[in-house]
């Protein structure tokens, strides 16, 4: 079990579920496809992830106000509350993992990692879900 899995287990989330909740909270009216791309997951893995969050009343699928043919994802009140408590858990873990690194250095490192993750992979076999 990874440190992230161990840290999030008491709040009842996996790292992937936490990432999904975080993405949905950062962007209102995110589609399932957009979330799939943001997380680098293929549809066969995305559907059960969202289904599980929906069954637990953390996320809801609603018809887009802009396009009735499109469903968007939104956090429920329970999802927002769980994300808030999970953010504290993740912040504690980051402090533990990064130790002497300042918040400024950690944020800079995180931006660099995000840039690397967003770069296209020259070999399509390496794109998408690493699992």
């Amino acid at each position: 079990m990874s440190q992230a899995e161990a840290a999030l287990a008491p709040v009842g989330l996996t790292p992937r579920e936490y990432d999904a909740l975080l993405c949905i909270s950062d962007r209102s009216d995110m589609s399932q496809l957009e979330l799939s791309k943001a997380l680098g997951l293929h549809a066969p893995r995305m559907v059960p992830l969202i289904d599980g969050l929906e069954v637990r009343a953390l996320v809801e699928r609603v018809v887009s106000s802009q396009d009735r043919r499109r469903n968007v994802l939104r956090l429920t009140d329970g999802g927002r509350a769980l994300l808030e408590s999970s953010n504290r858990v993740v912040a504690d873990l980051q402090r533990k993992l990064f130790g002497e690194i300042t918040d400024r250095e950690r944020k800079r490192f995180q931006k660099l990692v995000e840039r690397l993750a967003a770069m296209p992979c020259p070999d399509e076999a390496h794109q998408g879900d690493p699992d």
Side-chain angles (χ1 to χ4, degrees):
M1 177 180 283
S2 74
Q3 290 185 39
E5 290 170 325
L8 287 167
V11 295
L13 288 176
T14 66
R16 186 165 283 163
E17 290 169 333
Y18 172 77
D19 288 343
L21 293 178
L22 191 60
C23 283
I24 295 166
S25 75
D26 284 346
R27 183 161 167 231
S28 63
D29 292 346
M30 178 177 255
S31 74
Q32 196 166 302
L33 179 61
E34 291 165 332
L35 180 61
S36 177
K37 288 179 181 178
L39 295 178
L41 290 176
H42 296 291
R45 292 194 180 259
M46 181 55 59
V47 172
L49 174 66
I50 298 304
D51 286 348
L53 294 171
E54 190 174 37
V55 164
R56 292 165 48 202
L58 300 174
V59 169
E60 60 185 352
R61 290 177 174 109
V62 295
V63 176
S64 170
S65 60
Q66 311 236 330
D67 182 351
R68 291 181 27 186
R69 297 168 295 173
R70 182 175 177 247
N71 284 327
V72 295
L73 302 168
R74 292 195 184 140
L75 292 183
T76 63
D77 290 341
R80 275 187 287 283
L82 184 59
L83 181 59
E84 188 176 308
S85 63
S86 299
N87 283 338
R88 288 190 293 273
V89 168
V90 169
D92 289 344
L93 178 61
Q94 287 175 341
R95 279 190 289 280
K96 178 182 169 188
L97 293 174
F98 290 110
E100 299 296 319
I101 296 174
T102 67
D103 281 346
R104 182 174 181 223
E105 291 168 329
R106 184 184 50 75
K107 287 177 184 174
R108 188 171 175 204
F109 173 73
Q110 185 173 352
K111 286 186 181 202
L112 289 171
V113 169
E114 288 170 0
R115 281 183 58 200
L116 286 171
M119 292 174 67
C121 182
D123 180 4
E124 292 209 1
H126 296 298
Q127 287 185 352
D129 186 10
D131 292 341

